[in-house]
Amino acid sequence: MSSQVILPSDPRFIFNPMSPEYDRDPYPILSVLREHAPVYEIPGFGALFLSCHAHVVEALSDESRFSGDRMLWENWQPPPPEHSEHPVIRMLSSNLLSAEGAEHTRLRKLASAALTRRAVKHLDPLMHSLADELIDAFIERGGCDFAKEFAEIFPVNIVSRLMGIARDSDRERRFKTLADSVVVAFNPMCSEEEKLHSLHSMTVHMEEVRELMEEKRANPGEDLMTDMVHAEDDTDRGFTPDEILGTLMTIIVAGSETTANSLSFGMIELLKHPDQLARFRDDPACRANAAAEIVRHQHPGRFLIRYAKSDTEIGGAPVRKGQMLFLSVPSANRDPAVIEDPDRFDILRTPHDSSSFGIGRHFCIGAQLARLELDVALGHVVERLANLELVGSFEGIGYRSNPAVRGPASLPIRFVPGQHLGAAEEDSLRRSA
Ligand code: HEM
């Protein structure tokens, strides 16, 4: 460790996991924390920040000591009445991500019904055609904003196709508006005004989703909505329409920005490593592995949150009942204690049993879908766009200010339209440019 590094014990040490510097590259400071303060109390906030793989795994796996239920937080305040009594908020209150025990098992059954292996497999051809449609829209320009014109659109459209919404329909466009509003409503950084505006928009569009549910009940199809409506009928207590809608909203929130950011991070890492880009393009068999490495190397989340159920300890440090714990999955994924040369991006790396998609009860229900989205979508991009290049510098990439996820706000790229060229042709094009 160089003498220039300011250690966490030094009063000059500043750790702000929301700052633009952290967004650009959180890994140097995460490495300092892992080595010198693996259980770090964030000054003035009272929460603990866990950066080692072993502690992250422990907090995620031990349900008897840690929970995702935010009402257990020592500083928990009920939301203001204009929010808590809002029909959309009431519907979202039985949220899969914060539910525990039997209630979680019950809601999870509903979400699993929607994302069965069969449903995901069924999406494979849809993914190929959606990737082509999005590329068709910008290919002739020889450049695009990859984050805005591809990465942000692809995952939401996949969920809407998964629901059986016809492509390029008015309903698909309205569904995109609904999804955008859900993401805003879940973002604690938004102003109260923005939140109320998005809640209003959600209320309007929700009626349409209810209509779609009725249509699927009358005319079942091979889609997520049909599976969810039937799951409602299959359980002992039955699922209410609000639970179905709430689960759908959770799937939108959990599955859209995470995957969008991973698509952009995947593009960035491939651009930074031309040899691996060539491998990814020429050898489709390595793409599934590459998808796992993209999510490990640049995890799109900031941290997961858990609360202590009683006084306890972790890594030898005391934890108060109700204390909040930030579990840094990005840091756990770069922990040299469990992964060799963790800062190296290597799409051929033997897949590591990382915590990218969570562990235990809340393990990501869309993990298989997300990996397939990265494999198919990035595969199409590298096959159809030759001589891919970033416009500007990697250091200049701007990031979104979202407290839950980390990812580029904009990613301008340029390319030569057309199927990829051979290495020699690419080389000669580069020389003549
Ligand atoms: C690269 C993309 C993704 C990453 C990195 C990711 C990561 C995660 C992680 C870490 C968790 C655990 C949360 C916790 O323990 O608190 C989680 C849960 C979840 N994810 Fe994902 N996810 C991704 C994509 C998706 C997709 C595509 C969907 C669905 C379309 C999805 C749906 C869910 C749901 C519903 C949960 C909650 C499960 C539960 O609480 O039982 N995710 N995800």
Side-chain angles (χ1 to χ4, degrees), residues 159-210:
V159 176
S160 84
R161 306 268 165 100
L162 189 67
M163 282 177 60
I165 295 177
R167 84 201 223 182
D168 221 9
S169 59
D170 282 346
R171 191 173 250 169
E172 185 177 74
R173 279 182 281 280
R174 288 194 295 269
F175 182 76
K176 172 84 173 82
T177 315
L178 170 66
D180 290 344
S181 310
V182 177
V183 171
V184 172
F186 266 74
N187 183 343
M189 298 290 268
C190 287
S191 67
E192 291 302 307
E193 202 182 323
E194 282 172 316
K195 254 181 210 164
L196 281 172
H197 179 77
S198 72
L199 287 179
H200 176 71
S201 159
M202 278 163 78
T203 316
V204 173
H205 291 298
M206 259 353 179
E207 283 316 308
E208 188 157 6
V209 181
R210 273 182 218 276

Side-chain angles (χ1 to χ4, degrees), residues 238-258:
F239 292 107
T240 66
D242 278 356
E243 283 172 329
I244 296 184
L245 283 170
T247 303
L248 178 66
M249 299 300 118
T250 310
I251 289 176
I252 292 172
V253 172
S256 50
E257 287 209 55
T258 43

Side-chain angles (χ1 to χ4, degrees), residues 12-13 24 80 140 182 190 193-194 198 207 230 329 368:
R12 292 172 302 155
F13 181 80
R24 255 193 304 281
E140 293 307 328
V182 177
C190 287
E193 202 182 323
E194 282 172 316
S198 72
E207 283 316 308
H230 283 163
V329 173
Q368 194 201 352

